[in-house]
């Protein structure tokens, strides 16, 4: 355990500290050092965080900061920081602010000129994406799905045509209803991955066409339990075969004089097409 003098900076600082999403071995040494050294830990649930601190023999005092009190209590913490104290912000699991409290506190700190230092660490979104087998070059995290069926269907309609991977959190008691709503909007062939209980004993990362995934989850009650993320493959209906032959001929000619990226941009402008689709076609078909 270290004291305040060993903190990375002597300037009063708000540290954003990720905590394990399941496996306690995933906490970083830097996170332990910061949690041991700050004057106060702002925690989403002090009882939950207390168990983590006890496991690592950390005795720093905690302060409750959650969705229901953050807007009122954030200023109290800013005042403590400006008075010379350093504070660590943690949520129940993973990285604070990622579908967890902390936004108002961080915003107020930055507005007040308080130093904010983020630590890298566990995040269920990235953990799920890295093992999903879905495209990871472009993705968006959409937070928790709406609680009502209409809201979920509206959300699925909103992302139905996007080409990036979309990631949602969902609760176990709604997973079947959400998958059925998804099936109605996106159809049975869309590839979807269910990532459940990540880093824990019963971790499951299962991907298959949505029609099959719905039946698989419905047939096994164990897959309806625990912390869940749903990852949806981007729309592939506007694929390479939708590129007109004249556009590919023009692209081929242009690449004899221009780099592929510039040639794709010019051909896309001429034929009112997406330059990324033309660029991808060029990578796969031109030497």
């Amino acid at each position: 355990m270290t004291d305040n003098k060993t903190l990375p900076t002597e300037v009063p600082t708000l540290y954003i500290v990720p905590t394990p999403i399941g496996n306690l071995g995933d906490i970083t040494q830097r996170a332990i050092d910061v949690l041991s050294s700050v004057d106060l830990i702002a925690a989403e649930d002090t009882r939950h965080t207390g168990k983590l601190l006890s496991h690592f023999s950390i005795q720093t005092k905690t302060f409750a900061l959650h969705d229901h009190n953050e807007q009122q209590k954030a200023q109290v913490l800013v005042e403590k920081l400006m008075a010379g104290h350093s504070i660590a912000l943690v949520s129940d699991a993973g990285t604070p602010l990622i579908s967890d409290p902390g936004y108002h506190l961080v915003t107020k700190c930055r507005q007040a000129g308080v130093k904010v230092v983020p630590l890298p660490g566990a995040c269920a979104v990235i953990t799920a994406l890295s093992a999903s087998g879905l495209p990871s070059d472009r993705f968006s995290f959409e937070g928790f799905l709406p609680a009502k069926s209409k809201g979920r269907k509206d959300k699925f309609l909103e992302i139905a045509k996007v080409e990036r991977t979309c990631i949602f959190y969902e609760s176990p008691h709604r997973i079947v209803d959400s998958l059925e709503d998804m099936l109605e909007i996106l159809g049975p062939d869309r590839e979807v991955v269910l990532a459940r209980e990540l880093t824990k004993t019963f971790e499951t990362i299962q991907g298959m066409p949505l029609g099959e995934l719905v039946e698989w989850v419905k047939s096994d009650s164990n897959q309806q339990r625990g912390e869940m993320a749903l990852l949806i493959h981007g729309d592939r209906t506007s694929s390479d075969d939708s590129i007109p032959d004249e556009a590919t001929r023009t692209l081929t000619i242009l690449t004899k004089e221009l780099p592929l990226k510039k040639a794709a941009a010019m051909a896309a402008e001429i034929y009112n097409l997406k330059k990324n689709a033309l660029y991808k076609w060029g990578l796969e078909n031109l030497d």
Side-chain angles (χ1 to χ4, degrees):
M1 188 177 296
T2 55
D3 59 30
N4 285 350
K5 294 180 181 179
T6 64
L7 281 170
T9 175
E10 293 182 1
V11 177
T13 301
L14 175 69
Y15 294 93
I16 313 299
V17 182
T19 55
I21 57 176
N23 190 320
L24 293 180
D26 292 334
I27 197 167
T28 67
Q29 184 61 53
R30 186 181 176 200
I32 293 173
D33 290 344
V34 169
L35 292 174
S36 300
S37 303
V38 292
D39 300 294
L40 187 67
I41 297 171
E44 182 179 6
D45 184 331
T46 55
R47 291 169 299 179
H48 183 93
T49 297
K51 296 175 183 177
L52 176 73
L53 299 180
S54 176
H55 180 84
F56 291 103
S57 301
I58 297 170
Q59 298 176 2
T60 309
K61 293 181 179 179
T62 57
F63 179 100
L65 188 79
H66 45 73
D67 284 332
H68 303 296
N69 75 353
E70 184 184 355
Q71 293 193 53
Q72 293 74 36
K73 297 296 185 180
Q75 188 58 40
V76 174
L77 293 176
V78 171
E79 290 170 2
K80 288 180 180 293
L81 286 156
M82 296 184 73
H85 299 284
S86 284
I87 296 174
L89 172 67
V90 301
S91 59
D92 287 348
T95 301
L97 280 80
I98 310 302
S99 279
D100 280 331
Y103 167 75
H104 297 289
L105 175 59
V106 171
T107 299
K108 284 183 177 292
C109 283
R110 296 190 65 84
Q111 289 171 345
V114 172
K115 187 176 180 65
V116 179
V117 173
L119 276 62
C123 178
V125 176
I126 303 303
T127 303
L129 179 64
S130 68
S132 68
L134 300 186
S136 57
D137 55 336
R138 292 180 63 220
F139 67 93
S140 62
F141 173 55
E142 305 287 338
F144 277 93
L145 281 165
K148 303 291 186 179
S149 178
K150 183 183 184 306
R152 289 194 296 268
K153 290 178 182 178
D154 288 345
K155 176 58 71 173
F156 296 142
L157 282 169
E158 180 183 316
I159 66 155
K161 295 299 181 182
V162 303
E163 297 178 359
R164 64 185 180 273
T165 299
C166 292
I167 306 170
F168 296 91
Y169 287 159
E170 185 52 293
S171 61
H173 67 277
R174 289 198 299 261
I175 185 63
V176 172
D177 290 340
S178 290
L179 286 172
E180 289 180 336
D181 288 339
M182 191 187 299
L183 178 64
E184 181 178 331
I185 302 301
L186 301 182
D189 298 325
R190 183 70 67 99
E191 186 176 358
V192 176
V193 173
L194 170 66
R196 188 182 69 86
E197 291 292 87
L198 292 172
T199 79
K200 301 176 185 177
T201 303
F202 298 105
E203 175 181 272
T204 302
I205 303 172
Q206 180 65 59
M208 58 182 74
L210 181 53
E212 298 177 26
L213 184 65
V214 172
E215 294 306 315
W216 182 75
V217 172
K218 288 170 68 175
S219 68
D220 184 354
S221 61
N222 288 324
Q223 305 308 326
Q224 301 170 34
R225 299 172 181 168
E227 303 290 334
M228 301 180 175
L230 289 167
L231 302 90
I232 304 171
H233 199 298
D235 180 42
R236 288 183 284 191
T237 56
S238 55
S239 57
D240 301 337
D241 58 7
S242 64
I243 300 175
D245 289 341
E246 58 266 30
T248 59
R249 283 196 297 270
T250 299
L251 178 61
T252 302
I253 294 168
L254 289 172
T255 54
K256 293 178 180 178
E257 302 292 335
L258 298 170
L260 175 57
K261 189 172 184 179
K262 189 169 184 179
M266 291 182 66
E269 186 172 352
I270 293 169
Y271 294 100
N272 194 28
L273 298 169
K274 293 182 178 179
K275 64 181 179 181
N276 286 345
L278 282 164
Y279 182 70
K280 181 181 177 183
W281 184 92
L283 288 174
E284 295 175 352
N285 294 279
L286 300 176
D287 294 327

